[in-house]
mmCIF file of all heavy atoms in Angstrom:
data_model
loop_
_atom_site.group_PDB
_atom_site.id
_atom_site.type_symbol
_atom_site.label_atom_id
_atom_site.label_comp_id
_atom_site.label_asym_id
_atom_site.label_seq_id
_atom_site.Cartn_x
_atom_site.Cartn_y
_atom_site.Cartn_z
ATOM 1 N N PHE A 106 4.554 22.744 15.917
ATOM 2 C CA PHE A 106 5.301 22.394 14.776
ATOM 3 C C PHE A 106 5.899 20.978 14.770
ATOM 4 O O PHE A 106 6.087 20.402 13.795
ATOM 5 C CB PHE A 106 6.470 23.399 14.528
ATOM 6 C CG PHE A 106 6.026 24.769 14.383
ATOM 7 C CD1 PHE A 106 6.436 25.733 15.280
ATOM 8 C CD2 PHE A 106 5.308 25.175 13.291
ATOM 9 C CE1 PHE A 106 6.047 27.056 15.115
ATOM 10 C CE2 PHE A 106 4.926 26.443 13.093
ATOM 11 C CZ PHE A 106 5.303 27.454 14.066
ATOM 12 N N TYR A 107 6.187 20.350 15.942
ATOM 13 C CA TYR A 107 6.842 19.121 15.939
ATOM 14 C C TYR A 107 5.957 17.899 15.771
ATOM 15 O O TYR A 107 6.438 16.784 15.383
ATOM 16 C CB TYR A 107 7.583 18.928 17.434
ATOM 17 C CG TYR A 107 8.545 19.936 17.856
ATOM 18 C CD1 TYR A 107 8.967 19.937 19.157
ATOM 19 C CD2 TYR A 107 8.993 20.866 16.921
ATOM 20 C CE1 TYR A 107 9.887 20.834 19.540
ATOM 21 C CE2 TYR A 107 9.887 21.833 17.382
ATOM 22 C CZ TYR A 107 10.417 21.754 18.715
ATOM 23 O OH TYR A 107 11.308 22.705 19.072
ATOM 24 N N ARG A 108 4.696 18.026 15.978
ATOM 25 C CA ARG A 108 3.736 16.897 15.886
ATOM 26 C C ARG A 108 3.874 16.156 14.526
ATOM 27 O O ARG A 108 3.926 16.902 13.529
ATOM 28 C CB ARG A 108 2.260 17.419 16.096
ATOM 29 C CG ARG A 108 1.563 16.560 16.993
ATOM 30 C CD ARG A 108 0.627 17.186 17.875
ATOM 31 N NE ARG A 108 1.095 17.410 19.185
ATOM 32 C CZ ARG A 108 0.319 17.473 20.278
ATOM 33 N NH1 ARG A 108 -0.997 17.480 20.081
ATOM 34 N NH2 ARG A 108 0.846 17.675 21.459
ATOM 35 N N GLY A 109 3.872 14.883 14.651
ATOM 36 C CA GLY A 109 3.883 14.081 13.327
ATOM 37 C C GLY A 109 5.200 13.950 12.747
ATOM 38 O O GLY A 109 5.356 13.555 11.501
ATOM 39 N N ALA A 110 6.349 14.459 13.482
ATOM 40 C CA ALA A 110 7.635 14.335 12.893
ATOM 41 C C ALA A 110 8.057 12.886 12.712
ATOM 42 O O ALA A 110 7.687 12.017 13.491
ATOM 43 C CB ALA A 110 8.584 15.030 13.685
ATOM 44 N N ASP A 111 8.834 12.599 11.660
ATOM 45 C CA ASP A 111 9.357 11.262 11.448
ATOM 46 C C ASP A 111 10.844 11.149 11.826
ATOM 47 O O ASP A 111 11.351 10.058 11.937
ATOM 48 C CB ASP A 111 9.245 10.942 9.960
ATOM 49 C CG ASP A 111 7.787 10.932 9.522
ATOM 50 O OD1 ASP A 111 7.040 10.228 10.162
ATOM 51 O OD2 ASP A 111 7.429 11.608 8.586
ATOM 52 N N CYS A 112 11.449 12.325 11.954
ATOM 53 C CA CYS A 112 12.903 12.279 12.316
ATOM 54 C C CYS A 112 13.327 13.642 12.915
ATOM 55 O O CYS A 112 12.682 14.664 12.460
ATOM 56 C CB CYS A 112 13.783 11.988 11.141
ATOM 57 S SG CYS A 112 15.574 11.904 11.552
ATOM 58 N N CYS A 113 14.228 13.684 13.853
ATOM 59 C CA CYS A 113 14.671 14.991 14.407
ATOM 60 C C CYS A 113 16.089 15.035 14.332
ATOM 61 O O CYS A 113 16.819 14.235 14.694
ATOM 62 C CB CYS A 113 14.127 15.005 15.868
ATOM 63 S SG CYS A 113 14.730 16.504 16.627
ATOM 64 N N VAL A 114 16.553 16.182 13.743
ATOM 65 C CA VAL A 114 17.977 16.444 13.567
ATOM 66 C C VAL A 114 18.474 17.407 14.687
ATOM 67 O O VAL A 114 17.894 18.445 14.811
ATOM 68 C CB VAL A 114 18.359 17.037 12.184
ATOM 69 C CG1 VAL A 114 19.815 17.232 11.903
ATOM 70 C CG2 VAL A 114 17.662 16.100 11.063
ATOM 71 N N LEU A 115 19.538 17.016 15.440
ATOM 72 C CA LEU A 115 20.028 17.821 16.443
ATOM 73 C C LEU A 115 21.397 18.465 15.952
ATOM 74 O O LEU A 115 22.389 17.683 15.700
ATOM 75 C CB LEU A 115 20.196 16.996 17.731
ATOM 76 C CG LEU A 115 18.926 16.317 18.214
ATOM 77 C CD1 LEU A 115 19.340 15.353 19.307
ATOM 78 C CD2 LEU A 115 17.962 17.301 18.785
ATOM 79 N N VAL A 116 21.456 19.720 15.842
ATOM 80 C CA VAL A 116 22.605 20.370 15.264
ATOM 81 C C VAL A 116 23.490 21.074 16.345
ATOM 82 O O VAL A 116 22.855 21.796 17.245
ATOM 83 C CB VAL A 116 22.322 21.397 14.163
ATOM 84 C CG1 VAL A 116 23.561 21.843 13.490
ATOM 85 C CG2 VAL A 116 21.367 20.753 13.208
ATOM 86 N N TYR A 117 24.768 20.898 16.380
ATOM 87 C CA TYR A 117 25.649 21.740 17.167
ATOM 88 C C TYR A 117 26.763 22.300 16.326
ATOM 89 O O TYR A 117 26.916 21.982 15.149
ATOM 90 C CB TYR A 117 26.130 20.963 18.396
ATOM 91 C CG TYR A 117 27.127 19.915 18.042
ATOM 92 C CD1 TYR A 117 28.531 20.185 18.085
ATOM 93 C CD2 TYR A 117 26.773 18.594 17.786
ATOM 94 C CE1 TYR A 117 29.426 19.245 17.710
ATOM 95 C CE2 TYR A 117 27.716 17.660 17.423
ATOM 96 C CZ TYR A 117 28.988 17.920 17.452
ATOM 97 O OH TYR A 117 29.915 16.993 17.107
ATOM 98 N N ASP A 118 27.482 23.329 16.934
ATOM 99 C CA ASP A 118 28.534 24.015 16.186
ATOM 100 C C ASP A 118 29.871 23.502 16.907
ATOM 101 O O ASP A 118 30.003 23.591 18.073
ATOM 102 C CB ASP A 118 28.319 25.528 16.414
ATOM 103 C CG ASP A 118 29.504 26.350 15.959
ATOM 104 O OD1 ASP A 118 30.424 25.874 15.557
ATOM 105 O OD2 ASP A 118 29.385 27.621 16.179
ATOM 106 N N VAL A 119 30.744 22.912 16.027
ATOM 107 C CA VAL A 119 31.929 22.371 16.625
ATOM 108 C C VAL A 119 32.851 23.387 17.221
ATOM 109 O O VAL A 119 33.685 23.093 18.055
ATOM 110 C CB VAL A 119 32.748 21.527 15.514
ATOM 111 C CG1 VAL A 119 32.071 20.352 15.067
ATOM 112 C CG2 VAL A 119 33.198 22.445 14.398
ATOM 113 N N THR A 120 32.579 24.640 16.990
ATOM 114 C CA THR A 120 33.397 25.709 17.679
ATOM 115 C C THR A 120 32.732 26.214 18.935
ATOM 116 O O THR A 120 33.323 27.072 19.559
ATOM 117 C CB THR A 120 33.611 26.948 16.691
ATOM 118 O OG1 THR A 120 32.334 27.591 16.512
ATOM 119 C CG2 THR A 120 34.082 26.477 15.439
ATOM 120 N N ASN A 121 31.597 25.631 19.303
ATOM 121 C CA ASN A 121 30.791 26.188 20.409
ATOM 122 C C ASN A 121 30.389 25.030 21.304
ATOM 123 O O ASN A 121 29.428 24.368 21.165
ATOM 124 C CB ASN A 121 29.631 26.949 19.813
ATOM 125 C CG ASN A 121 28.702 27.536 20.887
ATOM 126 O OD1 ASN A 121 28.860 27.248 22.094
ATOM 127 N ND2 ASN A 121 27.739 28.288 20.499
ATOM 128 N N PRO A 122 31.218 24.822 22.470
ATOM 129 C CA PRO A 122 30.903 23.689 23.343
ATOM 130 C C PRO A 122 29.513 23.726 23.974
ATOM 131 O O PRO A 122 28.917 22.782 24.237
ATOM 132 C CB PRO A 122 32.014 23.838 24.386
ATOM 133 C CG PRO A 122 33.126 24.665 23.807
ATOM 134 C CD PRO A 122 32.409 25.494 22.859
ATOM 135 N N LYS A 123 29.068 24.977 24.157
ATOM 136 C CA LYS A 123 27.749 25.147 24.827
ATOM 137 C C LYS A 123 26.683 24.534 23.924
ATOM 138 O O LYS A 123 25.751 23.880 24.412
ATOM 139 C CB LYS A 123 27.525 26.680 25.058
ATOM 140 C CG LYS A 123 26.262 27.017 25.740
ATOM 141 C CD LYS A 123 26.364 27.063 27.265
ATOM 142 C CE LYS A 123 25.011 27.153 27.899
ATOM 143 N NZ LYS A 123 24.310 28.374 27.688
ATOM 144 N N SER A 124 26.830 24.769 22.711
ATOM 145 C CA SER A 124 25.740 24.217 21.717
ATOM 146 C C SER A 124 25.727 22.734 21.734
ATOM 147 O O SER A 124 24.675 22.127 21.497
ATOM 148 C CB SER A 124 26.025 24.855 20.292
ATOM 149 O OG SER A 124 27.188 24.177 19.747
ATOM 150 N N PHE A 125 27.036 22.148 21.978
ATOM 151 C CA PHE A 125 27.015 20.690 22.043
ATOM 152 C C PHE A 125 26.416 20.094 23.273
ATOM 153 O O PHE A 125 25.639 19.236 23.344
ATOM 154 C CB PHE A 125 28.464 20.256 22.039
ATOM 155 C CG PHE A 125 28.756 18.793 22.110
ATOM 156 C CD1 PHE A 125 28.290 17.958 21.198
ATOM 157 C CD2 PHE A 125 29.328 18.346 23.238
ATOM 158 C CE1 PHE A 125 28.449 16.553 21.274
ATOM 159 C CE2 PHE A 125 29.459 16.939 23.469
ATOM 160 C CZ PHE A 125 29.053 16.076 22.481
ATOM 161 N N GLU A 126 26.690 20.877 24.435
ATOM 162 C CA GLU A 126 26.052 20.423 25.742
ATOM 163 C C GLU A 126 24.521 20.476 25.626
ATOM 164 O O GLU A 126 23.869 19.800 26.262
ATOM 165 C CB GLU A 126 26.510 21.343 26.821
ATOM 166 C CG GLU A 126 27.965 21.138 27.371
ATOM 167 C CD GLU A 126 28.500 22.303 28.100
ATOM 168 O OE1 GLU A 126 27.652 23.069 28.704
ATOM 169 O OE2 GLU A 126 29.665 22.534 28.109
ATOM 170 N N ASN A 127 23.995 21.462 24.867
ATOM 171 C CA ASN A 127 22.552 21.616 24.811
ATOM 172 C C ASN A 127 21.854 20.621 23.963
ATOM 173 O O ASN A 127 20.628 20.510 23.869
ATOM 174 C CB ASN A 127 22.210 23.060 24.202
ATOM 175 C CG ASN A 127 22.444 24.054 25.401
ATOM 176 O OD1 ASN A 127 22.491 23.689 26.542
ATOM 177 N ND2 ASN A 127 22.536 25.360 25.032
ATOM 178 N N VAL A 128 22.587 19.842 23.186
ATOM 179 C CA VAL A 128 22.042 18.868 22.209
ATOM 180 C C VAL A 128 21.081 17.955 22.982
ATOM 181 O O VAL A 128 19.926 17.780 22.577
ATOM 182 C CB VAL A 128 23.118 18.009 21.460
ATOM 183 C CG1 VAL A 128 22.464 16.792 20.879
ATOM 184 C CG2 VAL A 128 23.810 18.883 20.425
#
Side-chain angles (χ1 to χ4, degrees):
Chain A
F106 300 116
Y107 301 170
R108 225 148 255 210
D111 300 304
C112 180
C113 175
V114 183
L115 305 165
V116 188
Y117 68 92
D118 169 359
V119 295
T120 68
N121 178 354
K123 181 89 193 295
S124 72
F125 176 68
E126 283 161 30
N127 285 342
V128 165

